[in-house]
Amino acid sequence: MSRYILWSNSSMGFSRFYHSGDLGADRQITLSEQAAHHATRVLRLKTDDRVTLFNGQGGEYEATIVQAGKKDVTVKTGAWLDRECESPLNMTLVQAISSGEKMDFTLQKAVELGVAAIQPVISSRSVVRLEGERALKRVQHWQSVVISACEQCGRNRVPLVAPIMSLNHWLEEKVTSTLKLTLSPYAKEGLKEIAAPQGPIVFLVGPEGGFSESEEVSAAVSGFIPVKLGQRVLRTETAALAAISAMQMLWGDF
């Protein structure tokens, strides 16, 4: 999946590119090879075209392409714009790893919907098992998916994808949060019965087969409140996004 996607709804309608290094006004920046390829081969941008750069630390820079080759693209930065579109909800998505492209889809859309951080976990029913180098490479891939989503949706702060952990080990860390929620088809209340949070939210979502009974007990002991989304059982990729959307509607900026 390409990290470099045109975002056509920015304040000036210019293509947006993430740059991992420092940015400042009146600097010449060489885009990465991937970004250069997308700029010239996909978007057909050329010298003197205007773009937008951001590095994930807030705000963005106006920029102009000063050199557009087949492999190298250099831009010159202009004014810094104090532009933000972050959600008022500080949400961390703790997502049990799903198979195939489901995880990519979930993380991409969760970023578009406003989550601030992502913690991938492996639960007892997770189909995908990742360790060592494979786990590291997958997290790097997911971070790339997140960056691409930020480029597309206009966010100037890039959510971090944390290293993969087992669910049990993560629960043992006793993460502090104003509100801890987890989806459960056996829950007695929905999101609308939960009081609006006054601080960070941690939201825990299971894999394709759901959490085991012992994992649900462990989550409850760790302070997680089970909630349900209607009377239907949702797929893992649907459940996370539906719940985030509902929270944005109830307490956020929808």
Side-chain angles (χ1 to χ4, degrees), residues 91-98 103 106-107 110-111 115-123 126 135 139 142-143 146 159-173 175 201-207 211 224 240 244:
M91 293 184 289
T92 296
L93 172 62
V94 183
Q95 176 69 51
I97 298 173
S98 52
M103 191 71 173
T106 299
L107 301 193
V111 170
V115 298
I118 297 160
Q119 173 65 65
V121 294
I122 297 176
S123 64
S126 293
V139 170
W142 289 331
Q143 191 67 64
V146 166
L160 175 68
V161 181
I164 298 170
M165 296 182 65
S166 74
L167 175 61
N168 289 334
H169 286 168
W170 182 81
L171 289 173
E172 289 173 358
E173 289 197 342
V175 177
I201 304 167
V202 176
F203 182 52
L204 175 62
V205 182
F211 290 127
F224 280 85
I244 294 168

Side-chain angles (χ1 to χ4, degrees), residues 52-105:
T52 298
L53 293 187
F54 69 102
N55 64 1
Q57 299 177 17
E60 61 190 25
Y61 283 87
E62 298 176 339
T64 303
I65 295 177
V66 295
Q67 185 272 329
K70 293 182 179 180
K71 295 184 178 180
D72 298 313
V73 173
T74 303
V75 302
K76 184 174 183 180
T77 57
W80 180 73
L81 303 177
D82 185 13
R83 180 187 167 281
E84 299 290 351
C85 61
E86 294 300 297
S87 167
L89 300 180
N90 182 358
M91 293 184 289
T92 296
L93 172 62
V94 183
Q95 176 69 51
I97 298 173
S98 52
S99 60
E101 296 182 354
K102 293 178 182 178
M103 191 71 173
D104 286 11
F105 179 83

